[in-house]
Amino acid sequence: MPHASDNSIFTAITDALDWSCNTGGMDREFFSHDALEVAPKLLGARFGVQGPAGLVTLRITEVEAYLGVGTTGPYDPGSHSKDRRTERNASMFLDAAHVYVYFSYGMHYAINFVCSPSGIASGVLIRAGEIVEGMDIARQRRVSRRTENGPGITDRQLARGPGNVAQALGITRAEHDGKDLFRAPFSLHAPAQPPARIASGPRVGVAGSAGGSDYPWRFWLPGDPTVSAFRRGRNAPA
């Protein structure tokens, strides 16, 4: 069973994926497809961010796809770019393989990989992962943001949830939004081999219909301890 709670709705989809564009590395062509196609193929990839303190690298274990203006898929009411381009979501409309960073709930940043050609908005939210390099740096960043003393942060919690991913990697909107995924300070490497199994289900905490089973656009590695717990969004259908 998947580690994330209440994930009985998961579906194994690995056999349905074409991994041919992923096995030899990732390039701009890989990201030129829409987020629904790209998202599951990012699982197991290693994403690194170089900062003043050093390099921190994440093995991606959980993602969510979001579609916006210009995509051929169904209308996505959960997407920041569902209706139009704004100052906030402008990076979603850049060429494939750029980064969209936003500030969420006035509390933390979240990082998305931009997919689709320029002018078409779709992106993959990096929800969770395992820190495989730079663990001490990631831990220091996480600890420094805590407002009260409590139990220590375990290894699996360092990048569990999108806010923790951004914090562990040192991601901010001012420094990283709109940057090219294939230029410094980023590095991205495809997994050596595709995961044995992938699960899919509704997105976490997304309100209304976009958080229901009609949008099973969250993908994760079942059984991986870094995957975040499922939480149904406000008024999302069961």
Side-chain angles (χ1 to χ4, degrees), residues 42 44-48 57-60 132 187-191:
L42 287 171
R46 297 192 175 207
F47 175 54
T57 302
L58 179 83
R59 179 180 65 88
I60 298 171
V132 294
S187 59
L188 183 65
H189 301 281

Side-chain angles (χ1 to χ4, degrees), residues 9-199:
I9 49 179
F10 80 88
T11 305
I13 62 170
T14 309
D15 291 344
L17 293 174
D18 174 11
W19 290 89
S20 60
C21 63
N22 183 348
T23 53
M26 295 177 173
D27 56 16
R28 209 168 303 280
E29 172 63 22
F30 173 84
F31 285 96
S32 69
H33 303 279
D34 73 36
L36 267 179
E37 181 173 342
V38 173
K41 296 179 181 181
L42 287 171
L43 294 172
R46 297 192 175 207
F47 175 54
V49 182
Q50 181 73 45
L55 176 67
V56 177
T57 302
L58 179 83
R59 179 180 65 88
I60 298 171
T61 62
E62 181 184 4
V63 296
E64 289 178 347
Y66 289 86
L67 301 184
V69 173
T71 56
T72 58
Y75 179 76
D76 182 3
S79 173
H80 290 177
S81 57
K82 60 183 180 294
D83 294 322
R84 63 189 183 279
R85 178 173 176 165
T86 66
E87 182 179 354
R88 182 197 193 201
N89 69 20
S91 293
M92 282 282 281
F93 292 82
L94 294 173
D95 196 10
H98 281 75
V99 167
Y100 168 48
V101 180
Y102 64 88
F103 197 50
S104 181
Y105 300 109
M107 297 172 57
H108 56 73
Y109 297 101
I111 183 169
N112 301 256
F113 294 171
V114 175
C115 304
S116 304
S118 177
I120 299 175
S122 75
V124 178
L125 171 67
I126 309 303
R127 275 205 58 87
E130 175 193 11
I131 300 297
V132 294
E133 187 173 5
M135 186 171 292
D136 289 344
I137 300 170
R139 189 180 304 281
Q140 180 58 41
R141 288 170 175 161
R142 289 290 321 280
V143 170
S144 68
R145 289 288 301 275
R146 301 189 76 166
T147 58
E148 58 185 37
N149 293 327
I153 300 172
T154 64
D155 291 352
R156 75 181 184 91
Q157 294 172 321
L158 285 174
R160 190 172 185 245
N164 293 334
V165 167
Q167 188 176 327
L169 293 174
I171 296 292
T172 67
R173 181 172 171 86
E175 187 172 355
H176 299 102
D177 181 56
K179 289 201 169 181
D180 192 323
L181 192 55
F182 294 125
R183 294 182 180 272
F186 304 127
S187 59
L188 183 65
H189 301 281
Q193 58 185 20
R197 195 179 189 192
I198 291 175

